[in-house]
Amino acid sequence: MTTEGFIVLDEKTLREYIKKTPSLFSKVGSDDVDKLEVKEVGDGNLNFVYIVTSSSGSIVVKQSLPYVRCIGESWPMTKERSYFEATALKRQYGLSPKHVPEVYHFDRTMSVIGMRYIEPPHIILRKGLIAGVKYPLLAEHMAEFMANTLFYTSLLYLTTTEHKSAVAEFCGNVELCRLTEQVVFSDPYKISEFNRWTTPYLDGDAEAVRNDNILKLEVAELKSKFCEKTQALIHGDLHTGSVMVTHESTQVIDPEFAFYGPMGFDIGAFIANLLLAYFSQDGHAAQGNDRKAYKGWIMDTLADTWNLFHKKFTTLWDIHKEGPGEAYLHEIYNDVELRELVKQKYMTELFHDSLGFAAAKMIRRIVGVAHVEDFESITDPVKRADCERRALDFAKMLMKKRRNFNTITDVISAAQ
Amino acid sequence: MTTEGFIVLDEKTLREYIKKTPSLFSKVGSDDVDKLEVKEVGDGNLNFVYIVTSSSGSIVVKQSLPYVRCIGESWPMTKERSYFEATALKRQYGLSPKHVPEVYHFDRTMSVIGMRYIEPPHIILRKGLIAGVKYPLLAEHMAEFMANTLFYTSLLYLTTTEHKSAVAEFCGNVELCRLTEQVVFSDPYKISEFNRWTTPYLDGDAEAVRNDNILKLEVAELKSKFCEKTQALIHGDLHTGSVMVTHESTQVIDPEFAFYGPMGFDIGAFIANLLLAYFSQDGHAAQGNDRKAYKGWIMDTLADTWNLFHKKFTTLWDIHKEGPGEAYLHEIYNDVELRELVKQKYMTELFHDSLGFAAAKMIRRIVGVAHVEDFESITDPVKRADCERRALDFAKMLMKKRRNFNTITDVISAAQ
Ligand SMILES: Nc1ncnc2c1ncn2[C@@H]1O[C@H](COP(=O)(O)OP(=O)(O)O)[C@@H](O)[C@H]1O
Ligand SMILES: Nc1ncnc2c1ncn2[C@@H]1O[C@H](COP(=O)(O)OP(=O)(O)O)[C@@H](O)[C@H]1O
Ligand SMILES: [Mg+2]
Ligand SMILES: [Mg+2]
Ligand SMILES: [Mg+2]
Ligand SMILES: [Mg+2]
Ligand SMILES: [Mg+2]
């Protein structure tokens, strides 16, 4: 398959590609490229990811093909997503360099990104959560990543000139936005060939979602915000499969869904996936490990993530209160009391947005097309359905009642 | 002044321009261009408008220069606004042809729009309102213009692909958005060299606006919606000076501020300017004409405008409920009761947005840079200040309490 300079890489052509690309070749040393070890590790649904190793170093090369990997050419999907992923990666690396891999190389024609290899013992966070591993710095790091990437790309920091120009550019990533619109905000609420759930146990639950008018009213509001609220450059797919971790390090990858959207969509995605991990734990309990303590750690991490995010985000706002951001001009909002009122109002709306999007993300992982390994790896379907139902019921309540929650502790109490 | 093919037109060069432009020349017939009557009529603040008349027909030629007309070259302003005006005019003409002048010609380099001459007895609506003239079809026509232009450019009718591409294009009109941000949402709430008011009578009132924390909290929310909510292609400057009327006809001109923003900004602009006209009437009362009946007509027109807009807009939504719009997919929102819920929620938020923006527009016309002739033409400053203060107090209340109003009748009662 070739279209105007685009070729699908394989192990052989990748070696040749690296050889003629100095920014990549220099990273793997001066070895004969034939001696490079090439391993395809893409476990995601959409793209191909190669780890390339020589005696002197390793890199990751990610290529997007013009279709959805896990489906095939029958589901076309612009390979231009790679451009938005590279652009977002570079921006996020600039804003939160400790938590984003550096981009070494980007080739728009080939839809190829060369980036830092996030080395072992880093693993995908979702795998760690299933295994019951605690990550003491996870909340701190994720709060930092989200606070930095969201604050600095919002009108709290940007001029409206910078903001509108960035909004316009990322409007180009509409195909990926449409995928989210479909699988998060639409399919779970109607009959769709793509939906699935733990049948027959959840048949009634899936039907109840499709018939729940209040839920559908709420999800419409969330969808409108997703489509119309250009609040910040969001990652767009910030689940626990887009985070790689060790005890000391947290790295956020795969922002190919990035665009200017509501901040709560990122925060909600991460919250949702912690809650899914939480509700799945009973399915992973075993003799001698009831996972009770681990469930406590997940909830502590959830609380810390929001609370630290809140603190870091409002601190950035304070630091830059006389900065370039045009949403709240210092000359107007210089009164101490007023600044507190303004922050409180902003953060409350953001909290409720985050809870709403979290709920939408949970629901779609239980009755929509793409499920999460947290539940999928529970082999006993009765047990799995039981965990999923509790998650689903909680998510439905959360979406409807999100405005009644004032603190993340209240949310956690409701889940326990 | 010349930059790459751009020249500032005057009567002489305009004749030459028309001669070599078939789409314009054909409209004014085959006369010798030297015999064309050319009259500059621009009474607006920004641009030059020429009426060109021959024995066989008339056209209007509007040119934007790279600065603000009423200030001069010291306030630069991209002449590209002409491109957005022409693009919006054509789109709005396509959607509401009875209420928008046809564009005959657009020249991006020259920032020249040639369009239908809106012939006498059409006058600018604001002049009619000051003179106390009733326009029986005004509400109906404005409701139709707003319903058509807002509905068909929103996600209630567009696919997200069409929407995002249009959003991106109009992000380019950022300079005009910034002007609105400054003069509507910022300057009135701080000390600014541009602000003015009927001094000394309103000195305390202007200061009170600058010190009203709750008002500033509310205007921040409205500004965020203006900057971030890409709900529809809005006119962006829909005051009564952008509408030309006769008893039978209503024509909306001058959409150079057009971009994808909140629908309530247009509806609010029109509401605000009717309310300003209402509050100014006492200043125009004269022996034998207390303007009481006219005030009643203005309020009836206000009520009819919103109520007819509501009806027309929701009717369009019903008609196209199985159409291309992607916000509320028919498969999800096909239940009659749910559809009512969804419409009610959408229209209530739109109503409250409209009231909030109306309030902001009223405030800026009393203590901000650009005032309205409705008040300016009241020569006695005591009388004028009195009318303005009542308008200002009402606007402040409206911005703060807008969510408590359920119907336009409630708003009108509060104003009377
Ligand atoms: N920079 C990297 N370093 C190490 N492993 C990576 C890196 N990027 C991706 N991977 C691995 O490849 C997998 C798929 O990558 P991802 O970017 O999520 O692709 P997709 O877009 O297809 O979901 C990840 O789950 C991770 O295991
Ligand atoms: N198509 C038209 N037909 C007749 N008069 C027009 C037309 N367009 C503009 N005018 C006149 O020119 C004035 C200024 O036009 P406008 O488009 O509002 O310019 P500006 O952008 O400078 O405010 C209007 O108030 C109106 O009197
Ligand atoms: Mg991935
Ligand atoms: Mg991905
Ligand atoms: Mg005008
Ligand atoms: Mg205006
Ligand atoms: Mg104008």
Side-chain angles (χ1 to χ4, degrees):
Chain A
M1 194 205 148
T2 314
T3 44
E4 295 170 66
F6 174 81
I7 62 156
V8 177
L9 292 173
D10 56 28
E11 291 202 13
K12 184 167 169 293
T13 52
L14 175 56
R15 282 176 222 274
E16 288 158 16
Y17 185 83
I18 290 172
K19 191 171 186 174
K20 63 167 213 247
T21 308
S23 53
L24 296 180
F25 191 65
S26 66
K27 297 284 173 187
V28 287
S30 56
D31 289 24
D32 181 350
V33 289
D34 294 335
K35 289 192 190 140
L36 292 176
E37 191 193 314
V38 174
K39 207 167 74 185
E40 208 283 313
V41 295
D43 61 347
N45 296 320
L46 260 56
N47 305 294
F48 290 82
V49 177
Y50 300 90
I51 298 172
V52 180
T53 304
S54 76
S55 57
S56 58
S58 298
I59 56 171
V60 157
V61 176
K62 179 170 178 177
Q63 185 178 38
S64 301
L65 307 192
Y67 52 83
V68 173
R69 175 185 183 163
C70 67
I71 310 271
E73 304 198 24
S74 66
W75 190 332
M77 172 73 51
T78 174
K79 65 186 181 59
E80 267 293 274
R81 62 188 186 268
S82 186
Y83 168 75
F84 294 103
E85 175 164 357
T87 306
L89 269 177
K90 286 185 242 173
R91 186 93 173 91
Q92 290 167 345
Y93 178 74
L95 296 171
S96 197
K98 281 190 271 175
H99 305 301
V100 180
E102 187 181 354
V103 172
Y104 302 139
H105 168 77
F106 175 61
D107 179 338
R108 193 162 181 172
T109 309
M110 284 286 286
S111 297
V112 160
I113 301 172
M115 70 182 111
R116 178 192 148 198
Y117 171 50
I118 302 169
E119 72 291 345
H122 281 96
I123 60 166
I124 287 289
L125 172 57
R126 192 185 301 287
K127 308 260 184 206
L129 295 172
I130 294 167
V133 183
K134 296 179 184 172
Y135 297 97
L137 299 176
L138 177 63
E140 168 85 24
H141 289 169
M142 288 304 295
E144 181 162 314
F145 170 82
M146 293 192 294
N148 284 337
T149 58
L150 300 177
F151 176 83
Y152 285 109
T153 60
S154 78
L155 284 169
L156 299 179
Y157 185 76
L158 298 182
T159 65
T160 51
T161 307
E162 296 164 324
H163 178 257
K164 279 231 189 315
S165 133
V167 168
E169 167 148 45
F170 278 92
C171 277
N173 205 16
V174 58
E175 274 197 40
L176 283 273
C177 291
R178 286 170 71 83
L179 184 55
T180 300
E181 288 159 29
Q182 180 187 338
V183 300
V184 176
F185 298 107
S186 297
D187 280 356
Y189 304 90
K190 66 187 188 66
I191 298 203
S192 157
E193 53 171 325
F194 302 109
N195 290 340
R196 57 189 191 81
W197 52 82
T198 302
T199 189
Y201 311 100
L202 297 187
D203 290 1
D205 301 82
E207 195 186 345
V209 167
R210 297 195 300 270
N211 292 326
D212 189 330
N213 281 357
I214 302 304
L215 200 66
K216 289 157 110 177
L217 190 65
E218 293 296 344
V219 86
E221 178 180 327
L222 293 162
K223 184 178 179 184
S224 287
K225 286 198 177 183
F226 182 81
C227 294
E228 296 172 345
K229 186 169 177 169
T230 61
Q231 195 175 22
L233 178 60
I234 66 174
H235 178 285
D237 198 23
L238 198 50
H239 57 82
T240 50
S242 298
V243 181
M244 297 187 71
V245 284
T246 67
H247 280 77
E248 293 83 30
S249 162
T250 307
Q251 303 293 323
V252 178
I253 60 171
D254 196 15
E256 67 188 318
F257 285 81
F259 76 112
Y260 273 74
M263 296 179 181
F265 192 76
D266 273 3
I267 304 166
F270 190 68
I271 288 179
N273 281 271
L274 286 183
L275 285 166
L276 292 171
Y278 172 84
F279 283 105
S280 76
Q281 290 300 318
D282 289 350
H284 300 300
Q287 199 110 51
N289 185 358
D290 61 7
R291 297 271 182 137
K292 279 225 174 87
Y294 195 63
K295 283 163 77 174
W297 176 82
I298 295 177
M299 288 313 210
D300 290 347
T301 298
L302 174 53
D304 291 349
T305 300
W306 170 258
N307 291 329
L308 288 168
F309 168 79
H310 188 291
K311 195 173 155 186
K312 286 169 193 286
F313 189 90
T314 53
T315 300
L316 288 175
W317 194 347
D318 286 338
I319 291 170
H320 296 289
K321 65 177 191 281
E322 298 180 56
E326 293 191 322
Y328 299 85
L329 299 184
H330 185 60
E331 290 162 277
I332 304 176
Y333 298 94
N334 49 4
D335 176 88
V336 179
E337 198 184 315
L338 176 56
R339 278 192 50 75
E340 282 316 305
L341 277 175
V342 158
K343 280 191 276 183
Q344 222 174 331
K345 181 169 166 154
Y346 193 99
M347 297 311 285
T348 299
E349 188 180 344
L350 182 50
F351 185 56
H352 293 156
D353 279 4
S354 301
L355 297 181
F357 288 120
K361 293 280 217 167
M362 292 176 74
I363 292 169
R364 75 95 153 202
R365 293 296 193 182
I366 298 165
V367 298
V369 53
H371 287 222
V372 288
E373 202 184 327
D374 311 64
F375 289 128
E376 296 298 285
S377 57
I378 302 168
T379 45
D380 176 354
V382 176
K383 234 190 217 173
R384 183 166 73 242
D386 209 53
C387 292
E388 289 175 323
R389 182 178 297 110
R390 270 183 286 132
L392 182 63
D393 288 344
F394 176 76
K396 286 165 64 177
M397 179 282 296
L398 189 63
M399 189 181 290
K400 294 177 194 175
K401 304 266 180 245
R402 65 189 188 276
R403 296 174 199 85
N404 300 345
F405 290 98
N406 294 315
T407 67
I408 191 75
T409 317
D410 294 345
V411 176
I412 290 168
S413 302
Q416 277 166 340
Chain B
M1 194 203 147
T2 315
T3 45
E4 294 169 69
F6 174 81
I7 61 155
V8 177
L9 292 174
D10 56 27
E11 291 203 13
K12 184 168 168 292
T13 52
L14 176 54
R15 282 175 220 273
E16 287 159 17
Y17 186 85
I18 290 171
K19 191 170 185 175
K20 62 170 215 252
T21 308
S23 54
L24 295 181
F25 191 64
S26 66
K27 296 285 173 187
V28 286
S30 55
D31 290 21
D32 180 348
V33 289
D34 293 332
K35 289 192 192 139
L36 291 176
E37 192 194 317
V38 174
K39 206 166 76 185
E40 208 283 313
V41 295
D43 62 347
N45 296 320
L46 263 55
N47 305 294
F48 290 81
V49 177
Y50 299 90
I51 298 173
V52 180
T53 304
S54 75
S55 58
S56 58
S58 299
I59 56 171
V60 157
V61 176
K62 180 170 179 178
Q63 184 178 38
S64 301
L65 307 193
Y67 53 82
V68 173
R69 174 184 184 165
C70 66
I71 310 271
E73 302 198 23
S74 66
W75 191 331
M77 172 72 51
T78 175
K79 65 185 180 60
E80 266 294 273
R81 61 187 185 269
S82 185
Y83 169 75
F84 295 103
E85 175 165 356
T87 307
L89 269 178
K90 287 184 239 172
R91 187 93 173 92
Q92 291 167 345
Y93 177 75
L95 296 170
S96 196
K98 279 189 273 176
H99 305 299
V100 180
E102 187 180 355
V103 171
Y104 302 140
H105 168 77
F106 175 60
D107 178 337
R108 193 162 182 173
T109 308
M110 285 285 288
S111 297
V112 160
I113 302 172
M115 68 182 112
R116 179 193 146 196
Y117 171 49
I118 302 170
E119 73 292 345
H122 281 96
I123 59 167
I124 287 290
L125 172 57
R126 192 184 302 286
K127 308 261 185 204
L129 295 172
I130 294 168
V133 183
K134 296 180 184 173
Y135 297 96
L137 298 175
L138 178 64
E140 168 85 25
H141 290 169
M142 288 305 295
E144 180 162 313
F145 171 82
M146 295 193 293
N148 283 337
T149 58
L150 299 177
F151 176 83
Y152 285 109
T153 60
S154 77
L155 284 168
L156 299 179
Y157 185 76
L158 298 182
T159 65
T160 52
T161 307
E162 295 164 323
H163 178 257
K164 279 229 191 314
S165 133
V167 168
E169 167 149 46
F170 278 93
C171 277
N173 205 16
V174 59
E175 273 197 41
L176 283 272
C177 291
R178 286 170 71 83
L179 183 55
T180 299
E181 287 159 29
Q182 181 187 337
V183 300
V184 177
F185 299 107
S186 298
D187 280 355
Y189 304 91
K190 67 187 187 64
I191 296 199
S192 159
E193 52 171 325
F194 302 111
N195 290 340
R196 56 188 191 83
W197 52 82
T198 302
T199 191
Y201 311 99
L202 297 187
D203 289 2
D205 302 81
E207 195 186 347
V209 167
R210 295 195 301 270
N211 293 326
D212 189 331
N213 280 357
I214 302 304
L215 200 66
K216 288 156 109 178
L217 190 65
E218 292 297 344
V219 84
E221 179 179 327
L222 292 163
K223 185 179 179 183
S224 287
K225 285 198 176 180
F226 183 80
C227 294
E228 296 172 345
K229 186 167 177 170
T230 61
Q231 194 174 21
L233 177 60
I234 67 174
H235 177 285
D237 198 21
L238 198 50
H239 57 83
T240 48
S242 298
V243 181
M244 297 185 73
V245 284
T246 66
H247 280 76
E248 294 82 31
S249 161
T250 307
Q251 302 293 323
V252 179
I253 59 172
D254 197 14
E256 67 188 319
F257 285 80
F259 77 113
Y260 274 74
M263 295 177 183
F265 192 77
D266 273 3
I267 303 166
F270 190 68
I271 288 179
N273 281 272
L274 286 183
L275 285 167
L276 292 171
Y278 172 84
F279 283 107
S280 75
Q281 290 301 316
D282 290 348
H284 299 300
Q287 199 111 50
N289 184 358
D290 61 9
R291 296 272 182 137
K292 279 223 175 90
Y294 195 62
K295 283 163 76 173
W297 176 81
I298 294 178
M299 288 314 211
D300 289 347
T301 298
L302 174 52
D304 290 350
T305 300
W306 171 258
N307 290 330
L308 287 169
F309 169 80
H310 187 291
K311 193 172 156 191
K312 287 169 192 286
F313 189 90
T314 54
T315 300
L316 287 176
W317 195 345
D318 286 338
I319 291 172
H320 295 289
K321 66 177 190 283
E322 297 180 58
E326 292 191 321
Y328 300 85
L329 299 183
H330 186 60
E331 288 163 278
I332 304 176
Y333 298 95
N334 50 3
D335 176 89
V336 179
E337 199 184 314
L338 176 56
R339 278 190 49 76
E340 282 316 306
L341 277 176
V342 157
K343 280 191 277 183
Q344 221 173 334
K345 183 170 164 152
Y346 192 100
M347 298 310 286
T348 299
E349 190 182 343
L350 182 50
F351 185 56
H352 294 155
D353 280 4
S354 302
L355 297 181
F357 288 120
K361 293 280 219 168
M362 291 176 74
I363 292 168
R364 74 93 153 202
R365 292 296 192 183
I366 298 165
V367 298
V369 53
H371 287 221
V372 288
E373 203 185 325
D374 310 65
F375 289 128
E376 295 297 285
S377 57
I378 302 169
T379 46
D380 177 354
V382 177
K383 233 190 217 174
R384 182 165 75 242
D386 209 56
C387 292
E388 289 175 323
R389 183 179 297 111
R390 272 182 285 133
L392 183 62
D393 288 343
F394 176 75
K396 287 166 64 176
M397 178 284 295
L398 188 62
M399 190 182 289
K400 294 177 193 175
K401 304 270 182 241
R402 64 189 188 276
R403 297 173 198 84
N404 300 346
F405 290 97
N406 294 315
T407 66
I408 192 74
T409 316
D410 294 346
V411 176
I412 290 168
S413 303
Q416 276 164 340

